[in-house]
Amino acid sequence: MIIKYLYRLIVAITLCVSFNASSASLLVPDAGWYCFGFLGVGSPAFDGGPGYCAGTSYVGTAGNTMTFDLTNPAQLKVTDAGTPGDVFDVYVNSVLAFTTSAPGTGNSTSNPDFAYASNYFSSGNMLLGSGSYAIDIFAAASPFGQGAAFIEVESTVIPIPAAVWLFVTGLLGLIGISGRK
């Protein structure tokens, strides 16, 4: 009887751990835009699959919780697409990091690059440093009760200021002059 109970307990724990591990969506930095679906206000981002994100340009689909690791700084970007009007609350490691911008009015698009760059669609971004991240997105406004939107993690290059290059060149020049003496 005890063995049967322990067996059921082990199976239940294994199923819970497997479910939690498989419910996270792994985002690959610099891969491109990932599509996610959402329903009414307060609903979480979910993996709507190709059918839900049909007609859009993306590298994959994702849903809460979206995870990734960074070794260098990167921009976390979120944008609405389709028909303008939706707004999102974006949580980074369980803390509200930002709410996407107020949407404008304009033509619909399924192109996330166009949507992110335009003033028609709600969008937002945040610079992240190296580390491990868990992202959760919730619809803050959804006038149509459902839709598709996009998330992307894009590495950023931190430029070395021109003054540093000037300093290094001058230092090398001084070393070259001192080497001649």
Side-chain angles (χ1 to χ4, degrees):
M1 184 73 157
I2 292 176
I3 293 178
K4 190 174 185 180
Y5 173 75
L6 287 174
Y7 175 75
R8 287 183 180 171
L9 181 63
I10 291 171
V11 169
I13 291 172
T14 303
L15 287 174
C16 287
V17 169
S18 297
F19 176 75
N20 287 337
S22 66
S23 64
S25 297
L26 179 64
L27 300 183
V28 178
D30 297 318
W33 291 100
Y34 287 83
C35 182
F36 63 88
F38 59 92
L39 298 174
V41 173
S43 69
F46 64 87
D47 184 341
Y52 203 81
C53 300
T56 62
S57 173
Y58 60 92
V59 296
T61 57
N64 286 354
T65 295
M66 298 167 248
T67 61
F68 55 92
D69 295 320
L70 294 174
T71 54
N72 294 309
Q75 284 284 336
L76 171 65
K77 303 188 314 187
V78 176
T79 188
D80 184 23
T83 304
D86 305 301
V87 176
F88 304 99
D89 289 332
V90 180
Y91 290 78
V92 176
N93 295 336
S94 300
V95 175
L96 178 62
F98 63 92
T99 299
T100 58
S101 61
T105 57
N107 297 329
S108 63
T109 184
S110 59
N111 181 323
D113 288 315
F114 176 79
Y116 183 77
S118 79
N119 292 328
Y120 300 148
F121 295 89
S122 174
S123 64
N125 65 57
M126 178 180 184
L127 181 63
L128 301 173
S130 60
S132 296
Y133 293 94
I135 309 300
D136 290 298
I137 300 174
F138 296 89
S142 180
F144 307 105
Q146 68 176 4
F150 297 90
I151 182 171
E152 180 180 39
V153 180
E154 184 177 55
S155 293
T156 57
V157 177
I158 300 176
I160 297 175
V164 172
W165 289 113
L166 184 60
F167 174 75
V168 169
T169 311
L171 190 59
L172 289 174
L174 288 174
I175 292 171
I177 291 173
S178 67
R180 288 184 179 175
K181 291 183 178 182

